[in-house]
Amino acid sequence: MTEMKITKSTLVSQKPGNIVSDMDGEKVMLSIQSGKYFNLGEIGGEIWELIKEPTSIHNLVTTIQSQYDVAQDECEQQVTSFLNQLVEQELIMVEGNDK
């Protein structure tokens, strides 16, 4: 599997085939493909909801920043790190947006 560098213009979206549920304000997910459970947490759950349709990292960071008191660099780093973990587990689709 070739690793794709996630940048601000990268588009990400949910991969189908996962069961997601709310548990005490946090999202938990079962990957049908792997049979693994994941706790996305509160903010991870928000990100998951935001990527129902393909969206850019820039849009995700802007949305999260508008809801939480976090610096842009820190927010971008954390969102990218979280998305890279989802990529590793094959839970999301990644598309480059090179024009």
Side-chain angles (χ1 to χ4, degrees), residues 15-82:
K15 252 190 188 175
N18 300 301
I19 299 171
V20 180
S21 182
D22 284 310
M23 282 189 124
D24 296 326
E26 295 186 352
K27 292 240 187 276
V28 293
M29 175 193 311
L30 169 63
S31 169
I32 302 299
Q33 177 181 337
S34 70
K36 294 181 184 177
Y37 281 96
F38 301 93
N39 182 346
L40 301 178
E42 181 182 336
I43 297 174
E46 288 184 40
I47 292 171
W48 184 257
E49 290 301 312
L50 292 169
I51 63 173
K52 281 184 178 180
E53 298 294 324
T55 190
S56 71
I57 306 307
H58 176 76
N59 287 341
L60 288 175
V61 170
T62 301
T63 302
I64 297 298
Q65 266 195 289
S66 72
Q67 297 172 5
Y68 297 93
D69 182 22
V70 61
Q72 181 175 346
D73 289 347
E74 175 71 12
C75 187
E76 193 172 302
Q77 179 185 7
Q78 294 297 321
V79 168
T80 302
S81 175
F82 176 73

Side-chain angles (χ1 to χ4, degrees), residues 4-12 55-57 94-95 97:
M4 178 174 275
K5 174 90 170 111
I6 293 180
T7 65
K8 288 183 188 181
S9 61
T10 302
L11 298 177
V12 294
T55 190
S56 71
I57 306 307
V94 178
E95 303 170 38
N97 195 16

